[in-house]
Amino acid sequence: MKKTSSPTRRDLLASAAVVTAATIADTPPAAAQGTPKPIFPVPMITIPIVGETSVFQVRRIYCIGRNYAAHAIERGSDPNREPPFFFQKPTDAIQNVAIGEIADHPYPSLTKNYHHEVELVAALKSGGIDIPAEKALDHVYGYALGLDMTRRDLQNGMAAEKKPWEIGKSFDHAAVIGPIHPASKTGHFEKGAISLAINGTVKQSSDLSKMIWSVAEQIAKLSEAFELKAGDIIYSGTPENVGPVVKGDVLLCKLEGLPDMSIKIV
Ligand code: MN
């Protein structure tokens, strides 16, 4: 049987080339098109800056795990200076809390053991790869008070099964944060009291000087694994006595040198 009536592969390629050439000829040069507009606009995630009309745009949210010895022990790990470990939360997990406000914080789905973790947060104005600890604080724009909210039962359940515990840490509203204070005004935070109270009863109380890895060391270690950039923020770990919250609880977070931050679980 002869196949001369059907187009050959060569014919198809030739006609495709003509179509492609025509398409290219009809398309303006890239420079003339400007920046393409998103088909569905997505909000930019930002954090207010105290004393500035400009805001801090968030690129990535990094968190350090078990960075106070007493918390490392309560979570079942060796408090000795093991290398720090990190995880991320999605950028849009940010919940901004204004000074003087008691912000409603929704109790999330799926969990029956929802935990507070009060933390110092460092916000970067620049970054890099393999940043030496001695230079690391040059990259810090400022600091905030934060809560690394955690669905502890889901985190523990996934860890027990050797599965990623993302569902325990990375969910809507899980990155609660106060406004950023420029380091040019506050200085850098290497020591100072940090605490969290629920309904007036202090639950967590420690000092930043008890962090196993300082903010500078966290930046240095993180930059070995990731290229850090302006807009990255780092939750620097929580002290011991993490515990559950329930609907109706009012949480009051304190960090020496910054205004208080408060949320109500709803
Ligand atoms: Mn944490």
Side-chain angles (χ1 to χ4, degrees), residues 63-64 87 117 119 148 169 237-238:
C63 304
I64 180 169
F87 58 93
E117 295 191 359
E119 310 197 1
D148 164 15
K169 287 289 193 179
T238 194

Side-chain angles (χ1 to χ4, degrees), residues 146-166:
L147 277 165
D148 164 15
M149 296 304 290
T150 303
R151 297 194 278 207
R152 190 73 71 201
D153 43 358
L154 301 186
Q155 182 197 22
N156 289 346
M158 295 299 272
E161 296 181 19
K162 294 188 161 41
K163 290 174 179 166
W165 39 262
E166 180 152 340

Side-chain angles (χ1 to χ4, degrees), residues 126-141:
S126 54
I129 297 168
D130 292 336
I131 299 167
E134 314 84 70
K135 302 265 187 197
L137 294 182
D138 295 347
H139 298 282
V140 175
Y141 174 74

Side-chain angles (χ1 to χ4, degrees), residues 7 44 48 60 68 73 77 137 167 178 182 189 208 210 237 239:
M44 191 168 69
R60 290 184 183 172
Y68 290 75
I73 291 168
S77 70
L137 294 182
I167 196 168
F189 286 78
L208 296 178
K210 294 183 179 172

Side-chain angles (χ1 to χ4, degrees), residues 49-69:
I49 302 168
V50 173
E52 299 282 340
T53 50
S54 299
V55 292
F56 183 94
Q57 185 180 351
V58 184
R59 175 179 175 264
R60 290 184 183 172
I61 304 172
Y62 291 105
C63 304
I64 180 169
R66 302 181 191 177
N67 197 29
Y68 290 75

Side-chain angles (χ1 to χ4, degrees), residues 78-100:
D78 187 340
N80 293 318
R81 242 171 111 88
E82 293 174 355
F85 72 92
F86 303 98
F87 58 93
Q88 290 186 46
K89 291 178 186 258
T91 300
D92 67 352
I94 289 284
Q95 180 184 3
N96 285 302
V97 181
I99 296 169

